[in-house]
Amino acid sequence: MTVLDDRIEMAEIGEELTLDTMFEWLEKMPIPEGYKTEIVGGNICMAPQRDTHWEIIAAIYEQLRAKYPRRRLKSDVRIDYPGHLNGFASDVTLLAEDAQPDDKGRLRHQDVELVAEVISRDTALNDYGPKKAAYAAADVPVYLIVDPYKGKWYLYTLPKDGEYHGEVSLDFGDEIDLTGTAVGLVLQTDEFPRD
């Protein structure tokens, strides 16, 4: 049975479209190796993992790993967020110390302390738009966007009423001071490559 057949069958029996159903479709699709796949606002988004993208993710992960145990750090792992059909696989996620999976064994957005997204050309609008809104609605305390095309990073903090009220943006080479946040450290950006 193909994805199209599944959609037709679902439509015929009148089931509501869910993230679980959409991720089941994704598991049946021949997604090329090296592609990141997630669902943003009910749309399936795929982007190839570029070397520059991976180098920045690794740099962020390594710096966080110096302070936090591996079990608190995730990359490309599905977490469902508020809004219409938002199942994100963020580049780097830091979970709270007492984070526990839900009754389906999935990570909960309520336990997320930081999300870092590295911009990909084809999905950049998602990171700056619907994903930023979903993270704010979920009260994720720290949202970091790293843009290798501009050589800049954007830090969003102080989520309230579905919006971030704190915003700082500087260039690669400038430190990302997270000492006043739940993260409690400084990230170095001088070795972040540009694309």
Side-chain angles (χ1 to χ4, degrees):
M1 185 176 282
T2 67
V3 172
L4 182 57
D5 294 334
D6 285 344
R7 286 184 183 179
I8 293 168
E9 182 179 316
M10 188 180 79
E12 288 174 353
I13 58 177
E15 288 183 34
E16 181 181 339
L17 185 60
T18 66
L19 280 172
D20 288 341
T21 301
M22 293 183 78
F23 276 105
E24 285 174 20
W25 293 345
L26 284 173
E27 289 175 10
K28 295 175 185 175
M29 291 175 68
I31 297 170
E33 185 87 20
Y35 273 72
K36 175 181 173 176
T37 307
E38 58 189 354
I39 299 170
V40 180
N43 298 304
I44 295 172
C45 301
M46 289 188 280
Q49 183 90 270
R50 298 173 56 92
D51 186 54
T52 300
H53 191 260
W54 170 243
E55 289 294 325
I56 294 171
I57 291 169
I60 293 168
Y61 182 89
E62 288 169 356
Q63 291 180 67
L64 290 170
R65 183 70 180 91
K67 180 175 180 175
Y68 296 104
R70 186 176 294 117
R71 66 178 171 74
R72 290 188 58 191
L73 293 167
K74 305 296 175 190
S75 180
D76 289 340
V77 175
R78 173 186 170 185
I79 299 177
D80 298 345
Y81 285 90
H84 177 69
L85 299 175
N86 287 322
F88 304 156
S90 306
D91 291 325
V92 180
T93 301
L94 172 65
L95 299 171
E97 175 68 34
D98 58 351
Q100 295 294 322
D102 65 16
D103 57 351
K104 293 182 179 179
R106 292 197 195 106
L107 301 174
R108 301 168 346 113
H109 68 80
Q110 294 90 337
D111 294 328
V112 174
E113 292 186 341
L114 167 136
V115 168
E117 296 282 12
V118 180
I119 295 299
S120 293
R121 202 171 299 252
D122 294 336
T123 59
L125 293 177
N126 288 336
D127 294 325
Y128 288 111
K131 289 174 80 173
K132 179 182 165 193
Y135 294 138
D139 289 327
V140 172
V142 179
Y143 177 40
L144 174 64
I145 296 176
V146 179
D147 191 330
Y149 304 102
K150 296 178 182 177
K152 297 181 77 67
W153 54 263
Y154 303 84
L155 178 65
Y156 301 97
T157 57
L158 305 172
K160 183 177 178 187
D161 300 326
E163 292 183 27
Y164 282 107
H165 296 276
E167 181 178 337
V168 176
S169 174
L170 289 171
D171 298 321
F172 284 11
D174 293 315
E175 296 178 338
I176 304 171
D177 186 352
L178 302 174
T179 55
T181 71
V183 182
L185 55 75
V186 174
L187 294 175
Q188 303 299 322
T189 68
D190 51 331
E191 293 185 7
F192 285 3
R194 293 185 66 149
D195 210 350

